Amino acid sequence: HKAFQGENDLLALWSEEWQKAGYDTKILTMEDARSHPYFETMEAVVEPRFGLTFNALCFYRWLAMAQAGGGWMSDYDVFPTMDALDLAFSDEAQFMAADLYVPSLMKGTPDEWLRLCKLLVENINEPLGLQTDMYVFMHVLDNVSDHNVVMFDHVYRGFPYITEDKL
C-alpha cells in the first residue's frame, strides 16, 4: 500500500539493491496484514486512531511480516551496506532491531513478529506524544521487561558518499 506519490522508482531501486546484496525481496501490502488471523483485533485498535493513513500502515507492517513468514523487514528508504550485512546474529529465534528504537531494519521469526505486534497493540494507549509505531516500540523497549529484543545501532544516517558521484 503506497502512502505517497512517486514511490515506484524508490521501491524498484530498494528491491534491486537488496537483491544485489543477496536477499530475496518482497514488497508487503495491506493484503498481507489483512490475511493474518490477528488483523481484526489489531484493526479495532489502529483504525479508530489513524484510519488508513501512513501511521496506520506502519503498525500493519508488523503484522504483514508475521503473515509473510518473518525474516528481515527494511523500510523502503533503507539500503544495504557492509555494516548492515555483516551483523552476526547468534540467536535466530530472537527479535532484532538494527536501528535501535527506529523500526527501519528488523528481523524476526513469524512468531516473534506477531509477539511484538501484540505488544504494540497492548501499549498503543500509552501517552507518548506522537502515536507512531516507533514511539510505541520505544515505550515497549523501555517499559516492558520481557520484550526480548536485541538492539543494535547499525543503520547509517544520510548518504555515505565517497565523492559526489560514487557511493
Side-chain angles (χ1 to χ4, degrees):
H1 194 91
K2 293 190 178 78
F4 303 106
Q5 295 252 355
E7 292 181 334
N8 288 338
D9 290 341
L10 183 58
L11 286 170
L13 179 61
W14 170 89
S15 182
E16 181 182 320
E17 291 300 315
W18 280 102
Q19 287 178 21
K20 282 182 191 175
Y23 289 83
D24 293 325
T25 60
K26 178 179 180 183
I27 296 170
L28 300 176
T29 68
M30 275 299 293
E31 290 311 309
D32 292 298
R34 279 190 184 103
S35 63
H36 195 283
Y38 187 71
F39 180 77
E40 288 183 11
T41 302
M42 184 176 208
E43 183 183 40
V45 174
V46 172
E47 194 275 331
R49 285 170 179 75
F50 305 110
L52 191 57
T53 62
F54 177 77
N55 281 332
L57 297 174
C58 287
F59 281 94
Y60 291 134
R61 67 183 170 171
W62 297 74
L63 192 56
M65 281 300 300
Q67 184 63 21
W72 282 102
M73 189 284 304
S74 163
D75 277 352
Y76 62 84
D77 59 353
V78 174
F79 291 84
T81 65
M82 290 311 293
D83 288 339
L85 298 175
D86 287 342
L87 295 176
F89 296 121
S90 59
D91 186 352
E92 290 293 319
Q94 261 184 313
F95 194 88
M96 295 160 215
D99 195 7
L100 296 175
Y101 294 108
V102 181
S104 66
L105 182 61
M106 301 180 292
K107 180 184 179 187
T109 64
D111 289 342
E112 284 296 295
W113 278 102
L114 180 59
R115 183 181 67 80
L116 266 293
C117 186
K118 289 178 178 181
L119 282 173
L120 293 178
V121 168
E122 291 167 11
N123 287 276
I124 201 168
N125 289 322
E126 295 301 318
L128 305 167
L130 293 173
Q131 289 286 316
T132 66
D133 70 322
M134 181 180 78
Y135 285 107
V136 179
F137 184 51
M138 184 183 304
H139 172 81
V140 167
L141 294 174
D142 288 345
N143 296 288
V144 177
S145 61
D146 62 345
H147 63 69
N148 199 30
V149 173
V150 177
M151 294 172 40
F152 297 91
D153 187 12
H154 286 289
V155 174
Y156 181 85
R157 306 270 183 268
F159 297 97
Y161 292 112
I162 296 168
T163 65
E164 279 190 32
D165 62 338
K166 291 185 180 184
L167 288 177

